[in-house]
Amino acid sequence: MCAINIMKPGMIKKHALSQYVYYLNILLIGRKLGLSPLSELTQDVTKSLKGVTESDAYKQTSEVAAATAETVKSKFNDMRNSSLFKSFESKLGTAYTSAKMTASTSIDKLSGAARGPSAASTPANEQAPPMP
């Protein structure tokens, strides 16, 4: 025969209350020990991250990524040392310098035109013609 545990309504409330008090005591003890939901989450994340970084799959992936990065770096340096790249770099530098000088000259001309005839453009010892 199967024994059935039938509790009276008052017993259910006392049991639920005792469980609540039990869990509340566990939480209070944890708080006194410096444990909080945030610290527990931090510990869980740290533990999970450590587990991931120590896994074989992570180690293999990081080795492949490091080798790939080294290969790309090597190829980029090879490309940078090529004559085609150096020629392009030189032409680009020349074009930049030329554009910079042209812009500077244009700005100087525009600022001079905005000021009107400047006293610096006429000699100081030259006198204006007499007015009729």
Side-chain angles (χ1 to χ4, degrees):
M1 271 198 150
C2 180
I4 300 175
N5 187 6
I6 301 177
M7 294 185 169
K8 296 178 183 174
M11 292 293 290
I12 292 173
K13 288 180 183 177
K14 287 180 185 177
H15 180 69
L17 183 61
S18 66
Q19 280 188 334
Y20 176 76
V21 170
Y22 172 76
Y23 288 119
L24 186 59
N25 283 332
I26 289 175
L27 286 174
L28 291 175
I29 291 170
R31 297 275 172 135
K32 287 180 182 178
L33 293 173
L35 300 175
S36 68
L38 182 59
S39 67
E40 289 179 30
L41 178 65
T42 303
Q43 290 172 354
D44 289 347
V45 169
T46 303
K47 185 178 177 182
S48 297
L49 188 59
K50 185 178 180 183
V52 167
T53 57
E54 291 177 352
S55 70
D56 289 335
Y58 178 84
K59 289 177 183 176
Q60 289 175 352
T61 303
S62 64
E63 288 172 4
V64 169
T68 303
E70 191 62 35
T71 302
V72 168
K73 184 179 176 183
S74 172
K75 294 293 182 184
F76 183 74
N77 285 335
D78 291 347
M79 180 189 72
R80 193 146 189 215
N81 293 327
S82 72
S83 60
L84 178 65
F85 187 85
K86 287 185 179 190
S87 172
F88 174 73
E89 188 176 34
S90 173
K91 288 178 183 177
L92 187 61
T94 303
Y96 173 75
T97 304
S98 176
K100 186 175 172 183
M101 290 180 73
T102 302
S104 176
T105 304
S106 297
I107 290 172
D108 288 345
K109 284 182 181 179
L110 288 173
S111 65
R115 278 187 252 140
S118 169
S121 65
T122 59
N125 59 3
E126 184 180 302
Q127 295 185 4
M131 299 271 285

